[in-house]
């Protein structure tokens, strides 16, 4: 984690000078790129700072040691239903929402309803039917 914190934090040494050079080259008249590059530098230090503080609270992980193996990081990520169709319904609803943003906003509510039905179905999948507990 400490390596990740250093890598993210080092982005400030690239983005801030590039942002200043970009501002000088555009005479600070272009008001989107200059602040965006500076904010990317500040964001990199913010993420790096979070990772540094998080690494102090959890200690060393397998990625920090030179002789760490992939199997050292193996742990259970959670339980996911391999036969569930609800993620597909959520994806179709999200796709319709994105399509609606490109074509016409009147389509977005239809996609939102489909995505909401898929989300409710995914959350309550184990509350009814053959797999209820």
């Amino acid at each position: 984690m400490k390596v990740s914190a250093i890598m993210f934090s080092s982005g400030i040494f690239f983005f801030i000078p590039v942002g200043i050079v970009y501002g000088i080259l555009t005479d600070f008249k272009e008001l989107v790129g200059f602040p965006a590059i500076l904010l990317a530098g500040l964001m990199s230090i913010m993420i790096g700072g979070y990772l540094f503080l998080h690494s102090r609270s959890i200690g060393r992980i397998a990625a920090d040691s030179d002789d760490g193996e992939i199997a050292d990081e193996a742990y259970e990520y959670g339980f996911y239903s391999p036969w569930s169709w609800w993620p597909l319904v959520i994806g179709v609803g999200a796709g319709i929402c994105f399509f609606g943003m490109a074509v016409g906003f009147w389509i977005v509510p239809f996609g939102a309803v489909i995505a909401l039905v898929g989300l409710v179905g995914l959350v309550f999948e184990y509350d009814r039917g053959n797999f209820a507990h």
Side-chain angles (χ1 to χ4, degrees), residues 2-108:
K2 195 173 247 186
V3 174
S4 300
I6 292 169
M7 287 176 61
F8 269 104
S9 298
S10 64
I12 197 168
F13 297 115
F14 172 77
F15 288 114
I16 299 296
V18 167
I20 293 170
V21 169
Y22 183 81
I24 292 170
L25 291 176
T26 60
D27 294 327
F28 297 99
K29 291 183 181 179
E30 202 274 311
L31 297 176
V32 174
F34 170 67
I37 296 172
L38 292 180
L39 288 174
L42 294 176
M43 183 182 65
S44 69
I45 195 71
M46 181 180 69
I47 294 172
Y50 168 77
L51 290 174
F52 177 73
L53 292 174
H54 191 64
S55 71
R56 283 182 39 197
S57 67
I58 65 169
R60 288 181 58 91
I61 60 174
D64 289 333
S65 65
D66 292 333
D67 57 345
E69 296 289 328
I70 294 174
D72 295 339
E73 285 288 325
Y75 52 90
E76 186 173 334
Y77 289 103
F79 175 74
Y80 302 98
S81 300
W83 59 84
S84 179
W85 286 86
W86 292 114
L88 179 66
V89 175
I90 295 171
V92 167
I96 292 172
C97 285
F98 287 123
F99 178 74
M101 284 189 235
V103 175
F105 281 104
W106 63 271
I107 301 173
V108 173

